[in-house]
Amino acid sequence: MTRTSPQPGSDPAPPPPSPPAPMPAYDAETLAAVLAVLPEVDAVELKLTVPGADHRRVLDRLGIDALDATIRQVVFFDTPALDLSTAGLVVRARRTQRKDGDLTAKVRPMLPADVPATVRRADGFKVEVDASPAGFTCSCSATRRLPDDDVRALLDDVGRLPGLLDRTQRSLLEPRLPAGVTLDDLRVLGPTTLLKARFAPEGLPRRLTAELWFLPDGDRILELSTKAAPAAAFQAAAETKVFLTSRGVDLGAPQETKTRAALAAFAARSAAV
């Protein structure tokens, strides 16, 4: 076939489309680590944070309506220097619109094999894998439901915290507190407000959750997530990757965790006061 040159005044042929960016994948070592821990965990949560410049576009393409979201407040308890966070500990309380609140103590990373049997069987305790394109973390947490009035009171009087932590939460926290730090040294960091929406997008056989966090420095974090049973984790990951890619979501964007970003913002604000 003879190639013909464009006639004078005609539009040049459009350039060929760029190949799609490859979807991020775990290497063999990371996959082996995930496979080793999955049989012992209670759930897997797949997470993706969306770059700020893409928030509106992604929300529109996924058909998420902010008016369908639930309003939440989250408050953290740590030292001004974030000693608990550095030690892999998180203490968090949440308020949810028209519902009871909760109080959580979390250790990450922590493997199931490191959990005493008595703690493993306790109410409100779970072992969960959080996985994102950047990697995965296995964490252990204990959550206690609280009346909303108790959570509100914590915002004004952090001295109530030790009395509200149950035995399981204390067993997670106290042996791992940094040297020289006690529960009485913790301060309120927050609250921050967020919008949380669960939805069932067309073309994906599972529900997604979108959380939009409003940080005190004016920044926002949009996280998309879905939960799966350990046995279905890889199937869920494949389906979710294909779906999000088809909607133009960048799976290769830099990732950040909501908790770390919020703690850093609160600590910076506290230091500036």
Side-chain angles (χ1 to χ4, degrees):
M1 179 181 294
T2 303
R3 183 183 299 272
T4 59
S5 300
Q7 297 299 315
S10 64
D11 294 331
S18 302
M23 291 191 296
Y26 291 175
D27 59 25
E29 183 178 355
T30 303
L31 283 173
V34 174
L35 288 170
V37 75
L38 278 182
E40 303 298 325
V41 306
D42 300 314
V44 175
E45 186 167 12
L46 308 172
K47 298 182 176 183
L48 178 79
T49 53
V50 178
D54 292 344
H55 285 184
R56 182 176 295 278
R57 179 179 62 83
V58 169
L59 291 172
D60 288 344
R61 289 196 175 185
L62 295 182
I64 302 172
D65 188 343
L67 295 184
D68 294 331
T70 299
I71 301 173
R72 267 187 165 181
Q73 279 188 330
V74 179
V75 61
F76 299 95
F77 305 94
D78 206 328
T79 66
L82 302 184
D83 291 299
L84 263 62
S85 180
T86 301
L89 303 176
V90 176
V91 182
R92 175 197 71 204
R94 296 185 297 197
R95 300 181 64 208
T96 300
Q97 186 180 23
R98 294 187 291 274
K99 292 184 179 180
D100 284 341
D102 59 50
L103 177 63
T104 295
K106 179 180 289 190
V107 183
R108 62 182 179 198
M110 186 177 186
L111 296 175
D114 299 328
V115 181
T118 54
V119 174
R120 191 71 175 88
R121 295 191 296 267
D123 290 340
F125 182 85
K126 68 177 179 180
V127 183
E128 188 171 62
V129 166
D130 290 337
S132 78
F136 80 98
T137 302
C138 185
S139 64
C140 298
S141 64
T143 297
R144 180 188 179 192
R145 293 283 183 183
L146 289 176
D148 182 64
D149 287 345
D150 284 348
V151 179
R152 289 183 64 185
L154 266 177
L155 304 186
D156 297 320
D157 182 10
V158 69
R160 296 167 53 91
L161 178 64
L164 291 175
L165 293 167
D166 64 21
R167 180 181 301 179
T168 302
Q169 292 170 327
R170 283 179 169 273
S171 71
L172 284 178
L173 293 173
E174 290 175 343
R176 298 170 179 82
L177 288 173
V181 175
T182 70
L183 294 175
D184 293 329
D185 297 320
L186 304 186
R187 299 291 179 265
V188 172
L189 297 178
T192 188
T193 301
L194 65 99
L195 300 177
K196 181 173 184 176
R198 290 189 175 95
F199 60 104
E202 185 178 352
L204 182 66
R206 63 186 63 254
R207 294 176 66 84
L208 287 179
T209 297
E211 289 190 23
L212 183 61
W213 287 46
F214 300 87
L215 301 184
D217 57 5
D219 198 6
R220 298 180 182 182
I221 294 180
L222 174 61
E223 180 190 84
L224 305 175
S225 65
T226 188
K227 290 191 175 184
F234 285 95
Q235 178 72 20
E239 291 171 350
T240 306
K241 280 185 176 182
V242 170
F243 170 78
L244 293 177
T245 300
S246 72
R247 298 302 190 274
V249 180
D250 182 6
L251 302 186
Q255 297 295 294
E256 59 181 334
T257 67
K258 306 183 302 292
T259 296
R260 289 196 182 97
L263 283 170
F266 285 122
R269 187 177 69 172
S270 179
V273 174

